[in-house]
């Protein structure tokens, strides 16, 4: 029996992640903003690998570069690295309890922070604020409720048959 899925959830979640990334925050707490796009992409790579892969990550990353006004290709590279690692370990990660998935997502977000810092250093771009190293911990804490929200919305059509 195949499950009907709510097809609107994927594009809406990506647009919402982009909007949350643009949400103005006071300068003091702006570096603490979680990487919403990476969290959304992580969910979709884990749960819908036939629809969301490296090409999708690249495309969304380029859109994010344009929307955020960052270095062209920066977001794309960050999301491709995240998607590649998630695809590689997808079979294991899917069966972890949410608490262990959160730790893995936290590690991926720290990896993303390292990639961003190295990229900015190599290109001579302004370095991210030191407080931004706390953002992966916030993303890690947000993973379980975000995962459950996306899962509920994605499988809603199947549950209401």
């Amino acid at each position: 029996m195949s499950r009907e899925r709510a097809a609107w959830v994927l594009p809406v979640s990506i647009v919402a992640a982009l909007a949350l990334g643009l949400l103005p925050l006071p300068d003091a707490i702006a570096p603490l903003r979680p990487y919403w796009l990476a969290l959304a992409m992580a969910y979709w790579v884990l749960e819908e690998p036939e629809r969301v892969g490296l090409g999708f990550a690249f495309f969304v990353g380029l859109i994010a570069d344009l929307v955020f006004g960052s270095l062209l290709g920066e977001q794309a590279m960050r999301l491709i690295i995240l998607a590649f690692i998630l695809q590689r370990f997808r079979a294991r990660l899917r069966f972890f309890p949410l608490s262990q998935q959160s730790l893995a997502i936290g590690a991926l977000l720290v990896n993303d922070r390292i990639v961003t810092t190295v990229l900015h250093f190599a290109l001579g771009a302004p370095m991210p604020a030191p407080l931004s190293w706390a953002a992966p911990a916030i993303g890690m804490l947000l993973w379980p409720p975000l995962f459950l929200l996306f899962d509920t919305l994605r499988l809603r059509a199947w549950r209401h048959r």
Side-chain angles (χ1 to χ4, degrees):
M1 177 164 98
S2 81
R3 295 182 181 181
E4 294 176 26
R5 290 180 169 81
W8 60 270
V9 180
L10 172 60
V12 168
S13 67
I14 297 299
V15 169
L18 286 168
L20 286 169
L22 288 173
L23 190 69
L25 293 175
D27 291 337
I29 63 170
L32 295 174
R33 179 192 323 264
Y35 191 17
W36 292 106
L37 200 52
L39 292 170
M41 186 67 61
Y43 173 81
W44 291 109
V45 169
L46 287 174
E47 295 299 320
E48 295 280 345
E50 64 279 352
R51 292 176 62 197
V52 177
L54 297 178
F56 186 81
F58 178 75
F59 179 71
V60 169
L62 284 180
I63 291 172
D65 286 328
L66 296 173
V67 168
F68 296 150
S70 58
L71 299 169
L72 189 60
E74 176 188 355
Q75 304 282 331
M77 185 177 78
R78 291 167 61 190
L79 289 176
I80 285 173
I81 291 170
L82 177 92
F84 176 78
I85 295 170
L86 282 169
Q87 283 180 339
R88 173 70 177 87
F89 296 104
R90 179 182 176 274
R92 293 180 188 131
L93 286 172
R94 284 201 64 223
F95 295 104
F96 284 177
L98 274 179
S99 59
Q100 288 179 349
Q101 272 188 14
S102 291
L103 292 173
I105 294 297
L108 285 169
L109 292 173
V110 168
N111 181 61
D112 175 69
R113 186 66 21 214
I114 292 168
V115 168
T116 302
T117 302
V118 168
L119 183 65
H120 281 231
F121 179 75
L123 296 176
M127 296 299 282
L131 193 56
S132 69
W133 286 91
I138 295 170
M140 181 178 70
L141 293 173
L142 289 171
W143 177 252
L146 198 62
F147 181 91
L148 294 173
L149 172 68
F150 285 162
D151 226 28
T152 301
L153 293 173
R154 180 177 65 98
L155 299 175
R156 186 177 67 135
W158 178 71
R159 291 183 182 138
H160 291 297
R161 278 207 267 174

